[in-house]
Amino acid sequence: MKSILVLLSIMYCAVQCKTLDPVVIDEWEKGVLPHIDYCVSTTNVDWDIAKNMFRHVHLPDESTFHCYMKCIFDRMSFLNSDQELDQDQMLQHIYALTPDLSQLCVDESAGIEDICVKMYNITKCIVHDIADD
């Protein structure tokens, strides 16, 4: 029984225990910090989750968080007035983001119609690719 619990713990950690380099966390937090309070208040996402999402590599798959990410993208000018993604702007402002990763994440979310869900999926793709196991 104990061996099953250990195995389950290892499997859980293999999926969930990702970490970001402290430099990445610092740079990404600097980028979103000016927008957190506004986006939290307009989406009703939990402030602690928004503040610590990079530190804990925790991006909850919930509608409020999806729209929180869309708000962050809007406020950082990653979306134009037609709600289309500006990858050049993202590459300039997202530390450690490469053109290949940006394109991969955009391509993976291409069929998603809901703009909030799309921005969430792009964020999740970027974070999980840059995070270490």
Side-chain angles (χ1 to χ4, degrees):
M1 183 65 159
K2 286 184 182 182
S3 61
I4 291 173
L5 291 175
V6 170
L7 179 60
L8 289 174
S9 295
I10 291 169
M11 290 172 57
Y12 176 81
C13 197
V15 173
Q16 300 293 327
C17 294
K18 290 192 167 274
T19 59
L20 287 166
D21 183 282
V23 174
V24 172
I25 293 169
D26 186 51
E27 291 297 320
W28 287 2
E29 284 181 346
K30 280 192 244 177
V32 300
L33 187 61
H35 313 292
I36 289 177
D37 288 337
Y38 175 82
C39 291
V40 164
S41 70
T42 60
T43 63
N44 293 316
V45 76
D46 182 284
W47 193 90
D48 286 328
I49 290 172
K51 174 71 174 115
N52 295 303
M53 66 183 191
F54 300 131
R55 291 183 184 279
H56 301 297
V57 190
H58 178 60
L59 308 168
D61 192 0
E62 301 168 355
S63 61
T64 55
F65 192 78
H66 298 167
C67 289
Y68 170 78
M69 289 314 309
K70 190 248 182 214
C71 179
I72 293 292
F73 274 64
D74 275 335
R75 303 277 297 182
M76 293 185 74
S77 301
F78 296 163
L79 293 171
N80 66 25
S81 60
D82 295 326
Q83 298 297 285
E84 295 168 349
L85 202 59
D86 185 338
Q87 288 185 19
D88 291 333
Q89 186 75 359
M90 288 174 56
L91 288 166
Q92 288 178 353
H93 295 283
I94 300 177
Y95 179 83
L97 181 63
T98 65
D100 288 343
L101 177 56
S102 175
Q103 192 60 53
L104 171 76
C105 295
V106 168
D107 290 348
E108 283 184 4
S109 62
I112 301 171
E113 296 292 324
D114 183 306
I115 191 70
C116 291
V117 175
K118 183 177 260 189
M119 296 308 102
Y120 166 78
N121 280 311
I122 290 171
T123 302
K124 184 172 73 169
C125 176
I126 292 168
V127 169
H128 284 238
D129 192 80
I130 292 176
D132 298 321
D133 293 324

